Amino acid sequence: MKKKIPFCFSLLTAALLVACNPATPPAQTQVTEQASPSVQAPVAEKIAHEMTIHGDTRIDNYYWMRDDKREDPKVLAHLEAENQYADALLADTKPLQTQLFEEMKSRIKKDDDSVPTRSGQYYYSSEMRGDNEYPVYVRSSDFVGTNKQELLDANKLAEGHEYYNLGGLSASPNDKLLAYAEDTLSRRIYTIKFKDLETGELLSDELQGTSGTTLWANDNKTVYYIKKDPQTLLGYQVFRHTLGTPQAQDELVYEETDNTFYTGISKSKDHSLIYIHHSATETSGVSLIDANQADAKPIAFVPREAGLEYEIAKLGDTFYVLTNLDAINFRLMKVAADQLGDKRKWQDVIAHRPDVQLQGFELFNDHLVYQQRQNGLSEIFVQKLSGGPAHKLNFNDNAYMARMYGNNELDNPSLRVYYTSMTTPGTHYDVDLNSFALTQLKQQPVLGDFDAANYASERLFVEARDGAKVPVTLVYRKDKFKKDGTNPLYQYGYGSYGATMDPGFSSNRLSLLDRGVVYAIAHIRGSQMLGRPWYEDGKKLTKKNTFNDFIDVTKALVAQGYGHKDKVVAAGGSAGGLLMGAVINQAPELYLGVAAHVPFVDVITTMLDESIPLTTNEYDEWGNPNDKTYYDYMLSYSPYDQVKAQAYPNLLVTTGLHDSQVQYFEPAKWVAKLREMKTDSNMLVFKTDMEAGHGGASGRFKRLHDTALEYAFFLNLLDK
């Protein structure tokens, strides 16, 4: 059952704490520091908490804000006080927030259907209607929607929940049963349920504490799922469940004993195998389970080996292997099914190329499709397995995102591709695998007076302080842009985990562009925009390159006239929030305002605590601070530890109380320390969604309020 915030905390002020819980002393959060003539900022109590390692002692005065149960009245009262302060401080922006929300909502087509994708004998899609926050999931016997059947109405399922996320839809091989997963707390812990698609009734089976993914064995009654550790939130156990039996009797098929690994599951396209995926930052592997045997045991594809990464796909009696074996930018290999267990048997299909990163591939009965990245641009090639030259799909924009999706069956005659750019709304294509002809299935509609011709996108390279060339993608409205240093500039970045933020379209972003704001994505190190070495040069002991790149991009864009030096704002979330925290410690004078969403800012404390969700999986990304070399380096940039007495930009910080990725207390502590240390009178606004987690609010329109808040915060600073 979902835990609710006690009634008095959600509706009354912190001053009424004693009335809510007489046994609990009043919170020490007080209002003493005046931020404006009528609004005062909360000041958190300081309680010294010592942490010593490697002979170094750190004092954390706000460690008390951590409450893993999210029930401590003192903590909740402080968060509510911050929310009340934020509402009061931003009261003047409420009309603008409403205006922006209505603008963004008005561009969204209310009645909108996804493009059907084939899985087995059916085509699956979702339908949005009217003001519904959630889709209705349906399937049909063909692409055009013949004999449409409603599977689930997420709007009905979400009733009574402040947060609702539906996922993991999976039909049984005979198409008679449907497994689906629900998260009502935004902790990414799902309950799996089963529906009889012939009667419409729910089965009695419920699988608690899962990752949300369900895979069917081929007997239509056996399913595989992953159970999560309730404390660390790591999915580490693969169970086999037989319908009609209690979960307590489920068979443990695989248990991951190395807590630096994530565990995932999927099924081969020919439906013969269940794959168990073992994934760490720098190592990966796969184990195989026969989907035709309800008592099958997992077999390793090859023995797990530190530093070896690979993923596989099966076609007939051959496995194709995308791997970094002697190939930093990856290569594609293959091996016969009867030669598993020995990577010396792998044979090249696409050889390694140092200047081209091989990103992924899809197999069909007669075709191989692969995707690569060259000079920062993603390219898709189609090649007949019988031989002959590969055909490259051509796209028109100078910067774009293209990805393959929904290619679930080996006998598909076409390849499904999604394409978008900074000026092109998301477009879905089917590509004929023999003629290479593109058929446009849908382009995401943008209502109102949107005309792509009014906007321009540029791709350029900025030289960082160490000589590296950093790719940057920009978009602006042509008639609002002068390139004379007068435009406001909004710069976004992430730069971690090898995640590449390819340039894509956003109808919400039009509310900035139409007001003359230039929008830039800095493809900084820590991503893989320029291949795997670009990632390697922005993690662990080279992490500071990520922050330096972002700052150097800001300086260059201002110098080149893309933005006014006093009108630069920046935003990032999660690890991008770490980026924001590091940047404002290092170069606060460059930014008028910064938004840090669910920011990972208390690097050392979090990475030293293996009980915090996801910590152990992150050692290969940030380093393990139990090693003094990493401790010293991480401490030198950790945003929370490096807060100092200086002027900071105007700051908007957001989090979710139930965040499973970055715990709410990281930004809460960071804001408290900033309030204590900063020497300026700029705004510091901290908003906690008391119902949401890492992804923010659920529902397609509810999320717009979060975007409207950020945009209004920035536009108010920019007098727009």
Side-chain angles (χ1 to χ4, degrees):
M1 181 179 294
K2 182 174 180 179
K3 293 182 180 178
K4 301 289 287 185
I5 296 168
F7 176 81
C8 65
F9 292 119
S10 59
L11 297 182
L12 303 182
T13 66
L16 298 181
L17 178 64
V18 176
C20 177
N21 188 351
T24 304
Q28 297 302 308
T29 297
Q30 37 184 323
V31 179
T32 60
E33 181 177 316
Q34 190 156 324
S36 77
S38 60
V39 183
Q40 293 179 319
V43 177
E45 181 183 11
K46 295 170 64 175
I47 303 175
H49 178 82
E50 289 190 4
M51 295 172 288
T52 301
I53 188 173
H54 305 307
D56 179 52
T57 298
R58 292 178 302 129
I59 306 296
D60 186 348
N61 290 319
Y62 304 107
Y63 189 88
W64 63 267
M65 292 185 182
R66 174 177 177 177
D67 172 31
D68 291 347
K69 293 184 177 180
R70 276 84 171 154
E71 295 174 348
D72 188 322
K74 179 178 176 180
V75 173
L76 295 174
H78 177 75
L79 297 178
E80 289 286 7
E82 284 283 5
N83 280 348
Q84 292 165 16
Y85 172 69
D87 289 341
L89 200 63
L90 297 177
D92 290 346
T93 71
K94 291 292 186 181
L96 180 55
Q97 289 184 49
T98 300
Q99 178 185 348
L100 289 165
F101 173 81
E102 294 299 334
E103 274 182 26
M104 293 184 287
K105 185 177 179 181
S106 71
R107 299 189 190 104
I108 298 174
K109 185 180 179 182
K110 291 187 175 182
D111 294 343
D112 195 16
D113 300 342
S114 70
V115 178
T117 57
R118 179 184 164 213
S119 182
Q121 300 303 308
Y122 287 91
Y123 289 80
Y124 292 81
S125 60
S126 61
E127 300 176 344
M128 282 288 199
R129 293 292 178 265
D131 290 324
N132 284 347
E133 292 283 357
Y134 302 95
V136 176
Y137 294 89
V138 300
R139 71 179 182 184
S140 307
S141 57
D142 55 29
F143 182 84
V144 297
T146 304
N147 304 319
K148 188 178 295 182
Q149 177 188 13
E150 180 179 309
L151 302 176
L152 295 171
D153 184 342
N155 300 283
K156 294 178 181 177
L157 296 173
E159 290 177 359
H161 300 290
E162 289 292 333
Y163 176 90
Y164 186 80
N165 187 27
L166 177 67
L169 276 69
S170 176
S172 60
N174 63 9
D175 296 312
K176 293 181 179 181
L177 301 172
L178 180 73
Y180 65 95
E182 295 179 316
D183 173 15
T184 58
L185 194 59
S186 192
R187 290 285 283 169
R188 299 186 185 181
I189 299 179
Y190 291 83
T191 296
I192 297 171
K193 299 181 179 181
F194 299 86
K195 182 177 181 179
D196 187 318
L197 295 178
E198 294 183 325
T199 67
E201 299 297 319
L202 288 179
L203 278 61
S204 60
D205 303 69
E206 282 196 5
L207 307 179
Q208 306 281 346
T210 82
S211 68
T213 300
T214 311
L215 294 181
W216 293 84
N218 293 333
D219 61 4
N220 298 295
K221 64 179 183 180
T222 304
V223 296
Y224 293 86
Y225 67 94
I226 296 173
K227 200 165 187 180
K228 284 192 167 186
D229 183 294
Q231 175 65 33
T232 66
L233 302 187
L234 285 174
Y236 72 111
Q237 294 175 319
V238 179
F239 278 92
R240 182 159 45 210
H241 173 77
T242 302
L243 293 180
T245 64
Q247 185 179 7
Q249 295 181 9
D250 290 352
E251 179 186 359
L252 178 62
V253 176
Y254 175 84
E255 181 168 4
E256 181 56 69
T257 57
D258 186 338
N259 61 7
T260 66
F261 277 79
Y262 292 101
T263 302
I265 52 176
S266 67
K267 197 172 186 180
S268 62
K269 273 192 186 183
D270 67 1
H271 313 297
S272 67
L273 294 172
I274 304 291
Y275 297 144
I276 301 177
H277 302 278
H278 320 290
S279 303
T281 303
E282 298 176 338
T283 304
S284 64
V286 182
S287 296
L288 313 177
I289 299 177
D290 190 333
N292 293 305
Q293 294 184 20
D295 60 350
K297 305 299 181 184
I299 300 172
F301 187 77
V302 293
R304 206 152 75 188
E305 181 180 325
L308 176 66
E309 298 177 59
Y310 68 89
E311 60 184 70
I312 64 173
K314 181 173 179 287
L315 180 61
D317 293 327
T318 301
F319 285 94
Y320 286 74
V321 186
L322 179 66
T323 180
N324 71 337
L325 178 63
D326 300 323
I328 189 171
N329 264 331
F330 289 75
R331 58 176 169 168
L332 187 65
M333 309 183 79
K334 66 180 180 180
V335 64
D338 60 2
Q339 294 182 323
L340 300 188
D342 186 355
K343 68 178 187 294
R344 294 175 298 177
K345 303 292 186 181
W346 297 358
Q347 301 174 347
D348 262 335
V349 177
I350 300 175
H352 176 244
R353 291 159 292 172
D355 59 340
V356 179
Q357 182 188 26
L358 192 58
Q359 296 177 282
F361 70 104
E362 289 283 355
L363 286 173
F364 301 89
N365 282 335
D366 301 312
H367 294 85
L368 165 67
V369 182
Y370 60 94
Q371 189 161 4
Q372 65 182 38
R373 188 181 296 277
Q374 186 169 15
N375 197 32
L377 290 179
S378 195
E379 303 169 329
I380 297 175
F381 291 82
V382 181
Q383 186 168 23
K384 290 185 178 181
L385 289 171
S386 58
H391 176 85
K392 178 183 173 183
L393 303 184
N394 293 313
F395 304 108
N396 295 324
D397 294 288
N398 59 16
Y400 56 84
M401 176 177 70
R403 62 179 177 85
M404 304 178 285
Y405 81 98
N407 300 289
N408 304 312
E409 303 297 330
L410 290 168
D411 62 352
N412 276 349
S414 58
L415 169 76
R416 178 68 55 80
V417 173
Y418 175 81
Y419 175 83
T420 182
S421 75
M422 300 289 267
T423 58
T424 306
T427 309
H428 304 257
Y429 294 101
D430 269 352
V431 182
D432 188 289
L433 290 170
N434 290 302
S435 69
F436 312 121
L438 273 70
T439 300
Q440 181 174 312
L441 304 173
K442 176 186 177 180
Q443 184 170 83
Q444 188 63 39
V446 182
L447 304 185
D449 60 356
F450 170 73
D451 182 350
N454 291 332
Y455 304 88
S457 177
E458 294 185 36
R459 181 172 182 261
L460 51 88
F461 286 82
V462 165
E463 184 170 336
R465 63 193 67 180
D466 63 355
K469 301 295 192 298
V470 182
V472 181
T473 309
L474 301 119
V475 63
Y476 48 79
R477 183 169 174 125
K478 294 176 183 177
D479 60 359
K480 300 281 188 179
F481 178 61
K482 300 177 182 179
K483 201 178 179 180
D484 61 357
T486 60
N487 285 84
L489 173 66
Y490 178 118
Q491 186 173 314
Y492 169 78
Y494 186 76
S496 292
Y497 304 107
T500 301
M501 304 304 175
D502 279 309
F505 184 82
S506 167
S507 64
N508 295 339
R509 192 187 297 141
L510 298 176
S511 291
L512 295 177
L513 305 185
D514 290 348
R515 288 172 170 83
V517 177
V518 176
Y519 186 97
I521 302 175
H523 304 289
I524 50 186
R525 277 173 280 188
S527 75
Q528 296 185 82
M529 178 57 78
L530 297 180
R532 187 58 177 256
W534 196 244
Y535 170 41
E536 299 293 340
D537 206 20
K539 69 174 185 178
K540 293 198 288 191
L541 297 178
T542 60
K543 188 63 202 170
K544 290 182 183 179
N545 287 336
T546 302
F547 318 136
N548 295 342
D549 286 356
F550 192 88
I551 290 169
D552 293 346
V553 166
T554 301
K555 292 178 178 179
L557 293 179
V558 169
Q560 295 178 35
Y562 286 100
H564 190 290
K565 67 179 181 63
D566 298 324
K567 297 180 180 180
V568 181
V569 297
S574 194
L578 162 67
L579 170 67
M580 295 298 104
V583 161
I584 63 172
N585 280 335
Q586 184 176 333
E589 72 282 356
L590 296 181
Y591 305 96
L592 172 64
V594 167
H597 303 297
V598 292
F600 172 45
V601 285
D602 191 12
V603 181
I604 294 291
T605 304
T606 293
M607 294 303 296
L608 282 171
D609 189 343
E610 294 188 10
S611 72
I612 292 178
L614 311 184
T615 289
T616 54
N617 297 92
E618 308 290 299
Y619 289 153
D620 287 337
E621 178 70 25
W622 312 103
N624 186 341
N626 290 293
D627 180 325
K628 189 176 187 303
T629 299
Y630 286 109
Y631 175 86
D632 291 341
Y633 187 80
M634 296 162 73
L635 184 63
S636 71
Y637 70 75
S638 173
Y640 183 62
D641 294 285
Q642 294 303 319
V643 170
K644 59 180 74 74
Q646 65 177 6
Y648 282 91
N650 295 280
L651 299 174
L652 170 65
V653 183
T654 66
T655 191
L657 181 63
H658 301 285
D659 196 327
S660 61
Q661 308 296 110
V662 178
Q663 307 301 302
Y664 76 89
F665 45 82
E666 289 201 35
K669 296 194 314 179
W670 183 48
V671 167
K673 190 172 183 180
L674 282 166
R675 289 206 192 286
E676 174 193 355
M677 301 292 292
K678 73 190 192 82
T679 61
D680 59 84
S681 58
N682 291 330
M683 287 193 294
L684 173 52
V685 180
F686 179 42
K687 287 280 289 184
T688 302
D689 189 323
M690 306 300 279
E691 299 291 344
H694 198 65
S698 62
R700 61 170 173 166
F701 295 131
K702 286 183 181 179
R703 290 193 180 98
L704 295 181
H705 288 291
D706 296 336
T707 305
L709 172 66
E710 183 202 280
Y711 285 8
F713 179 78
F714 284 150
L715 292 171
N716 182 58
L717 294 175
L718 295 167
D719 294 324
K720 288 289 182 179

